[in-house]
Amino acid sequence: DQQVKQNSPSLSVQEGRISILNCDYTNSMFDYFLWYKKYPAEGPTFLISISSIKDKNEDGRFTVFLNKSAKHLSLHIVPSQPGDSAVYFCAASGGSYDKVIFGPGTSLSVIP
Amino acid sequence: SAVISQKPSRDICQRGTSLTIQCQVDSQVTMMFWYRQQPGQSLTLIATANQGSEATYESGFVIDKFPISRPNLTFSTLTVSNMSPEDSSIYLCSVTGLETQYFGPGTRLLVL
């Protein structure tokens, strides 16, 4: 049973426009959520996280929105840049220092 | 943040052999995690390694196949035993921080 879902395996966006990556989860006990970016030959790079007590967290071009009632979160990248092209993983955890469960990932292509 | 290194970065092995992957962290951490990313798949947690106790394995993973050592608070090893081509994956070491998780660069394993 997949607890973290990313229903779009891929997404293409024009440079300068907004990229919106979506994620759904099933476990209401998750306490915080994370987004990672991964290039093929590297380990995942942490981008941004959000606690379950918040509905928005912003860091530069990256904003994560959380809708707890819908068990849905999204990552917004504005403006999108070609260097953002990578696989983005949504992940969730039951608490700080707890294990993290990953979604299947969304491959983002930003077209110059 | 934590800086994590892994050895080897990649290897090609023959079926039936075993490979030990090392993970070194630049700070003392209580919990370390081992993940696997099979080709085209997401990251799957193999086990949690606590210093001074036996590792805790996730469903589908067993100690005989993936023995783990955790001799101190900055180091861990994962052994992939009696390898088959299905074990060809990227193996990643990870540690938690406050509402985040840091990953090593990964060990890319190809089993022939």
Side-chain angles (χ1 to χ4, degrees):
Chain A
D1 179 33
Q2 200 170 47
Q3 296 187 67
V4 180
K5 305 175 184 180
Q6 293 175 259
N7 293 322
S8 298
S10 63
L11 175 68
S12 289
V13 174
Q14 285 291 133
E15 180 179 4
R17 306 293 289 269
I18 183 171
S19 294
I20 300 176
L21 297 102
N22 292 304
C23 178
D24 297 290
Y25 61 96
T26 58
N27 188 343
S28 58
M29 299 303 291
F30 285 139
D31 194 40
Y32 70 96
F33 305 87
L34 312 92
W35 284 95
Y36 286 86
K37 174 180 175 180
K38 189 179 185 300
Y39 295 115
E42 300 177 7
T45 301
F46 170 74
L47 283 174
I48 192 169
S49 66
I50 187 167
S51 166
S52 61
I53 62 174
K54 296 183 179 179
D55 55 19
K56 178 182 176 181
N57 190 24
E58 193 171 355
D59 184 0
R61 296 186 298 116
F62 302 95
T63 302
V64 57
F65 295 92
L66 175 63
N67 183 335
K68 281 194 68 176
S69 61
K71 294 191 177 69
H72 176 84
L73 62 153
S74 60
L75 175 69
H76 293 211
I77 306 174
V78 181
S80 301
Q81 301 172 353
D84 295 329
S85 297
V87 177
Y88 288 78
F89 290 99
C90 173
S93 176
S96 289
Y97 306 102
D98 197 0
K99 63 185 180 184
V100 173
I101 308 298
F102 282 80
T106 296
S107 178
L108 173 66
S109 295
V110 180
I111 304 164
Chain B
S1 65
V3 178
I4 304 171
S5 59
Q6 287 185 231
K7 288 181 183 180
S9 59
R10 58 178 64 228
D11 207 342
I12 301 173
C13 300
Q14 297 297 319
R15 90 172 49 220
T17 63
S18 297
L19 175 73
T20 295
I21 302 167
Q22 299 179 6
C23 175
Q24 180 75 51
V25 188
D26 68 342
S27 57
Q28 294 185 336
V29 293
T30 303
M31 299 171 72
M32 296 177 76
F33 302 88
W34 286 98
Y35 286 81
R36 177 176 77 179
Q37 185 184 21
Q38 293 177 298
Q41 304 289 316
S42 184
L43 286 77
T44 302
L45 181 64
I46 297 172
T48 303
N50 292 327
Q51 195 269 336
S53 62
E54 280 200 8
T56 303
Y57 289 82
E58 298 297 307
S59 175
F61 297 97
V62 295
I63 188 171
D64 289 345
K65 175 68 177 177
F66 297 102
I68 288 171
S69 79
R70 184 77 203 277
N72 58 53
L73 291 174
T74 63
F75 187 80
S76 177
T77 67
L78 170 76
T79 299
V80 186
S81 303
N82 188 25
M83 287 183 286
S84 66
E86 292 70 35
D87 294 320
S88 297
S89 295
I90 300 172
Y91 291 85
L92 297 137
C93 172
S94 171
V95 302
T96 56
L98 182 61
E99 294 189 354
T100 188
Q101 194 163 20
Y102 304 102
F103 284 84
T107 295
R108 189 177 294 268
L109 171 63
L110 177 63
V111 183
L112 302 176

